[in-house]
Amino acid sequence: MSSPPPQLFDPALLARRRDRARSRFGQADFLHRAVAGEIEERLQEVNKTFTNAAIIGWQAPLWAEIIGLPAVALPDAETLALRPGAHDLVVHGLGLHWANDPVGQLVQCRHALRPDGVLVAALFGGQTLHELRAALAEAEVELTGGLSPRIAPMGELRDLGGLLQRAGFALPVADIRRFDVTYPSALHLMAELRAMGESNVMAARLRKPMPRALPGRVAEIYAQHFPSANGGVRATFEVAFLTGWAPAPDQPKPLRPGSAAARLADALGAEERPAGEKAGK
């Protein structure tokens, strides 16, 4: 029997933080709107008409409105309220980075898809908030002599693409879109993260309050190292887009090595030489 995945995050705290953020989310919804709009454009390029979509995420109704498809809106709980084989499209909207078992959630999405159905998931990638991570680390070491978990670890593109394969998706594709955002200060950035429902819910977080001097020192270090060209400070949000298809018998399959019907040299109109032999010899 396989052991359960490690509990990196506190789902109950995440739910409370999101509930607290709901009243302010409209002031900080630009990333959700931008990423949902990106997915809407990508779906227009798919040669397929979707009639039974499901959108997963704590802001799923907003995403459904932007994507413009009739869809079932579901929260991104550890166990998703999806029915097997009920959908031809599942969109997972900016929540998978908080999952204790992201592969498990992707497997649930695959089971909910009909053969040849499509999954598109968007989540924050490894370079997200790297500036804030660095400023927090420097300030905390300076003031307390140690470090504590304050920003969640986020996957790099190669690892995130591997999640699709582990979950059993066919034709997996992973790519990154970077959003560079300017804020008046690091304090404004941290306030906006709370309004987005993206504050610290790591299980290993410190349970005592942040040192009173820490936010101000973080803001000073941040402004020193990461100023924006037009005043204020810059922040990076890296969004990974994961796309996969539920397996179907008539999908294209990758060719076996050595099974090509024509040589690459012929296609390029080039002369083929043994390895190591230089041109002109």
Side-chain angles (χ1 to χ4, degrees), residues 81 103 122 124 158 164 167 223 227 238 263 279:
V103 174
F124 289 122
R158 179 179 299 178
L164 290 169
E238 189 179 75
R263 300 184 312 145

Side-chain angles (χ1 to χ4, degrees), residues 130-199:
H130 70 87
E131 304 95 343
L132 182 58
R133 193 188 304 272
L136 274 166
E138 184 175 337
E140 194 166 21
V141 167
E142 178 185 305
L143 294 175
T144 70
L147 285 173
S148 61
R150 296 193 181 276
I151 297 180
M154 298 174 196
E156 298 297 334
L157 185 61
R158 179 179 299 178
D159 301 323
L160 294 175
L163 297 180
L164 290 169
Q165 293 175 310
R166 290 171 58 191
F169 281 95
L171 309 174
V173 176
D175 64 285
I176 287 286
R177 168 82 188 276
R178 176 176 167 142
F179 296 86
D180 296 309
V181 186
T182 300
Y183 291 92
S185 72
L187 298 178
H188 290 83
L189 165 61
M190 289 186 278
E192 186 143 295
L193 291 173
R194 289 191 292 272
M196 282 194 285
E198 295 290 341
S199 52

